[in-house]
Amino acid sequence: MATEAKKKIGILAGRRRRHVRILLALATAAVVAGAGTTIVLTQRGTATAAQDAATLPPQPALVTATPQVAPLSEDAPAPTPQALAAALDPVAANPALGNFTGSVTDARTGAVLWSRGPDTPMTPASTTKILTAAAAMLSLPPDHRVTTEVVQGSRPGELVLVGHGDPTLTAQPVGQPGYYPGGPRIVDLADQIRRSGTAVDSIVVDTGAYTGPALAQGWIPDDVAAGYIAPIEPVMLDGARSDPLADEPPRSATPALDAGRALAQALGVDPARVTLGTATPDTDRVASVQSAPLRERLGVMMRRSDNILAETIAREVAAGKNAERSFAGATEAVVQVLYDAGFKTDGVTLHDGSGLSVDGRIPARLLDAVLAAAAGESEPRLRPMLDDLPVAGATGTLSDRYATGDRVGAGWVRAKTGTLSVASALTGYVVDVDGRVLTFALMSNDRPPGESRPALDAVAGALRLCGCR
């Protein structure tokens, strides 16, 4: 798994929030025990070394490891609403939670066992990605890929790089990883062009697959240089990162042109001869590469809370519904897919697919309902989402939560985090001490994350400890 750096919490003067992600790498250590033998030779008087050799103890019997994941019991008792309320109400009353809402559901029955203002629209931050992921899983095949192609230009020597929405293209040399596992390579496009025998002296980059503004309502333009986001264009290198292997380095303000310049350099063309333009309809394709399957990209999006992937995947949902591939078209398509699947979408206001917008609103009820559908029997297409959620104290954006101090939720809480300067959220599931799976959505507004995140963790920890029968 790629190394995940910590997200810095920086609140600019006069700004309303700063997006926060804390990403750390999980290192898994395997300890292998082996028997070693040391022979010590000594000499006493006339005794020989062989006679005085230390007597070796018998070697221990070999141990065969048989690790396994045991299924949960079908007979695990469900918490009662009364007992659950007695366990959660005291921690949910923590003033550090500010304006707090929440919902807890029994995954097996789908019954809501506890709630606090579940219909109130709240700033969701990156838990918005749960809706984006769910809409993608419900409307697109898991092996769906995005193509980036090069076609003939309008004159001899001109080629057009046409982006269709893949930000995972990398200019890294063969043998060196890009940021996104399985991402396609500029060098492969260049190799195909050379094998075709096509002469090239200039590159045009076509960004017409996307329409509308490149930055969403509720985004702070300074977040581009801060490394949290980039202008959303249909072709990028490593999500527009200035350092292709860093989690959140400064992003480029011209992602598509950067990709065109990288292709020009790989072909020995002057990068100054790269411009923005439009491909002529029905021209011949010269080269193409494809993204990793949607299923793999969704996993990266959720574990790393990748804003760029969230925005481009939301536009894939829009394309699948024949909607405009813009912020407006993508968010409308995401909500429509969820509505068509039977989810109650009242109170939802989306301006992006990542949750970076401070103007987005989602009720806890909907986030919990999506997780309950994934963990229960009602919507098997959502089940892979459970594998993509970070693990408390171990992986992704939960790697440093429950890692020290109160570790009650470590390994048991799996959830998508969401953090802005005055909004924190935690949506996922936990197995309680009785072996029952409980899904939850916990949302705090109007408090800085330094206060609200530990308080949210305490609520999820109380769910883990609750033998609430």
Side-chain angles (χ1 to χ4, degrees):
M1 180 177 179
T3 300
E4 299 175 347
K6 283 191 175 181
K7 178 156 221 166
K8 298 177 181 177
I9 301 176
I11 303 177
L12 296 176
R15 300 295 186 184
R16 287 189 290 168
R17 68 93 186 85
R18 170 65 67 208
H19 180 57
V20 178
R21 288 199 292 125
I22 301 178
L23 302 177
L24 294 176
L26 168 67
T28 302
V31 180
V32 180
T37 301
T38 301
I39 299 177
V40 180
L41 300 181
T42 63
Q43 187 162 351
R44 301 175 191 159
T46 60
T48 65
Q51 290 171 334
D52 275 348
T55 301
L56 298 178
Q59 291 193 4
L62 295 177
V63 176
T64 302
T66 55
Q68 59 182 339
V69 177
L72 296 174
S73 171
E74 293 287 335
D75 300 324
T80 66
Q82 297 80 10
L84 194 59
L88 294 187
D89 286 350
V91 288
N94 188 340
L97 289 169
N99 181 17
F100 173 73
T101 66
S103 178
V104 176
T105 296
D106 177 12
R108 181 169 297 170
T109 65
V112 176
L113 301 177
W114 180 90
S115 64
R116 175 78 61 84
D119 295 315
T120 303
M122 299 282 283
T123 303
S126 280
T127 57
T128 301
K129 294 180 177 72
I130 288 175
L131 302 192
T132 300
M137 291 177 177
L138 292 170
S139 63
L140 297 170
D143 60 351
H144 183 260
R145 298 173 186 260
V146 180
T147 299
T148 301
E149 60 183 340
V150 176
V151 301
Q152 293 284 0
S154 59
R155 62 169 183 78
E158 180 183 88
L159 293 179
V160 184
L161 175 65
V162 183
H164 294 285
D166 182 13
T168 72
L169 187 68
T170 185
Q172 289 284 87
V174 174
Q176 296 186 26
Y179 184 81
Y180 298 101
R185 296 179 180 271
I186 284 286
V187 67
D188 290 336
L189 287 173
D191 286 346
Q192 292 176 49
I193 292 168
R194 281 191 287 267
R195 287 197 302 269
S196 74
T198 303
V200 53
D201 59 23
S202 64
I203 302 288
V204 173
V205 183
D206 186 340
T207 62
Y210 287 175
T211 60
L215 299 177
Q217 176 180 323
W219 286 6
I220 293 176
D222 290 343
D223 279 349
V224 175
Y228 304 140
I229 202 64
I232 303 302
E233 298 179 341
V235 58
M236 301 186 188
L237 299 176
D238 299 295
R241 288 168 171 81
S242 57
D243 178 345
L245 300 182
D247 210 32
E248 285 168 344
R251 308 284 179 127
S252 171
T254 58
L257 277 174
D258 292 345
R261 289 164 184 154
L263 178 60
Q265 186 173 10
L267 293 169
V269 174
D270 183 355
R273 294 185 59 79
V274 176
T275 58
L276 293 175
T278 303
T280 303
D282 302 322
T283 53
D284 292 336
R285 175 186 284 183
V286 179
S288 66
V289 290
Q290 289 192 314
S291 70
L294 174 66
R295 177 73 195 89
E296 296 178 21
R297 290 180 285 122
L298 284 172
V300 175
M301 180 192 83
M302 295 289 277
R303 288 187 295 273
R304 297 181 177 178
S305 200
D306 192 281
N307 295 319
I308 297 292
L309 274 179
E311 300 306 337
T312 54
I313 289 173
R315 282 161 172 76
E316 288 179 55
V317 174
K321 304 298 286 185
N322 294 317
E324 182 181 74
R325 283 183 282 178
S326 63
F327 285 108
T331 53
E332 289 172 8
V334 165
V335 174
Q336 187 64 50
V337 168
L338 295 172
Y339 177 82
D340 291 344
F343 292 101
K344 185 180 178 182
T345 57
D346 301 36
V348 175
T349 302
L350 296 184
H351 296 287
D352 62 12
S354 63
L356 190 62
S357 174
V358 298
D359 296 331
R361 298 292 184 271
I362 301 174
R365 175 205 69 241
L366 175 58
L367 292 171
D368 185 27
V370 171
L371 261 295
E377 302 293 335
S378 63
E379 190 44 82
R381 289 177 293 176
L382 296 180
R383 183 62 62 87
M385 184 185 296
L386 304 181
D387 294 331
D388 296 337
L389 296 173
V391 180
T395 64
T397 55
L398 275 181
S399 59
D400 71 333
R401 310 269 283 265
Y402 304 98
T404 59
D406 183 1
R407 290 180 50 79
V408 65
W412 295 102
V413 172
R414 297 194 65 156
K416 181 71 195 74
T417 58
T419 311
L420 298 175
S421 64
V422 289
S424 295
L426 197 62
T427 298
Y429 70 97
V430 64
V431 179
D432 72 9
V433 293
D434 288 328
R436 195 79 173 193
V437 177
L438 306 176
T439 65
F440 60 85
L442 310 172
M443 308 183 78
S444 166
N445 284 183
D446 305 326
R447 288 292 188 278
E451 296 179 20
S452 58
R453 289 196 303 177
L456 288 174
D457 291 349
V459 178
L463 279 175
R464 161 61 190 159
L465 291 178
C466 185
C468 300
R469 290 179 272 169

